[in-house]
Amino acid sequence: QKYGYTHLSAGDLLRDERKRPGSQYGELIENYIKEGEIVPVEITISLLKRAMDQTMAANSQKNKFLIDGFPRNEDNLQGWNKTMDGKADVSFVLFFDCDNEICIGRCLERGKSSGRSDDNRESLEKRINTYLQSTKPIIDLYERMGKVRKVDASKSVDEVFEKVVQIFDKEG
């Protein structure tokens, strides 16, 4: 908020759509999430674009977005480039780097109260494999473009937040 960004979580948008009565994608989204797989790009892009359009329609000054959890694979990236070419520029990628076991432990702890169907060890291990195969190459691509801002997310919440503030102070 301090920097004028609207936070959009791809995962939250997908989970909300999954729960929306009458959603044509609800069951499909649930199956992908449960299996730790990436939801088809057409669905995710349409939800992101709709949220962005709604935000800007309500307030034309709100045209900066922090898109959380996207793109997750090559298909996502190509879909983004095709749909958003000339409409949105990626300034930088904020990459929270963290050891797998720390991530699993944190998600299992979150799972005690989150109610998320994917906060269990089996789904989390599948998600890590999906990350290594599909998402890491996208991070590497943005890294080669000089657009990755890396944060050591194994640190405390306060230390991670301090690093994020430093990045946004620099990037605007």
Side-chain angles (χ1 to χ4, degrees):
Q1 288 177 321
K2 177 182 175 183
Y3 302 94
Y5 286 83
T6 298
H7 176 253
L8 296 177
S9 163
D12 286 351
L13 291 170
L14 288 165
R15 284 184 288 276
D16 289 348
E17 182 66 20
R18 176 185 62 187
K19 291 185 285 192
R20 192 175 61 81
S23 169
Q24 62 184 17
Y25 301 125
E27 192 174 327
L28 181 77
I29 292 169
E30 173 63 23
N31 291 334
Y32 276 93
I33 288 174
K34 203 178 274 181
E35 289 303 313
E37 295 177 2
I38 296 169
V39 174
V41 66
E42 296 80 13
I43 296 170
T44 310
I45 287 276
S46 70
L47 297 175
L48 283 167
K49 189 168 183 325
R50 181 173 70 194
M52 292 169 80
D53 289 344
Q54 287 172 346
T55 300
M56 291 185 294
N59 181 347
S60 61
Q61 302 292 84
K62 290 196 158 275
N63 61 0
K64 289 170 51 173
F65 298 90
L66 182 116
I67 301 178
D68 182 349
F70 189 88
R72 293 274 174 113
N73 62 14
E74 181 66 31
D75 190 42
N76 280 186
L77 182 59
Q78 287 179 7
W80 172 266
N81 290 339
K82 180 180 168 193
T83 305
M84 303 307 273
D85 185 42
K87 298 176 188 148
D89 295 319
V90 176
S91 301
F92 63 96
V93 172
L94 189 58
F95 176 50
F96 292 93
D97 194 16
C98 192
D99 176 80
N100 292 345
E101 278 308 312
I102 292 173
C103 286
I104 289 172
R106 287 176 176 173
C107 289
L108 290 174
E109 187 61 34
R110 175 183 69 188
K112 292 176 182 176
S113 61
S114 71
R116 286 180 51 167
S117 62
D118 59 341
D119 277 346
N120 62 75
R121 183 166 284 276
E122 184 182 359
S123 289
L124 293 165
E125 287 174 356
K126 287 178 183 178
R127 287 175 64 191
I128 287 170
N129 285 332
T130 299
Y131 162 77
L132 291 171
Q133 292 171 9
S134 303
T135 307
K136 185 72 170 89
I138 302 305
I139 307 274
D140 295 342
L141 174 73
Y142 278 111
E143 183 95 63
R144 290 191 296 274
M145 296 165 65
K147 291 192 173 204
V148 172
R149 309 298 177 263
K150 194 178 287 192
V151 176
D152 179 356
S154 67
K155 307 264 189 216
S156 72
V157 171
D158 289 339
E159 289 172 298
V160 170
F161 182 72
E162 185 179 315
K163 179 67 175 169
V164 170
V165 167
Q166 289 171 7
I167 290 168
F168 274 92
D169 281 346
K170 185 177 178 189
E171 299 292 338

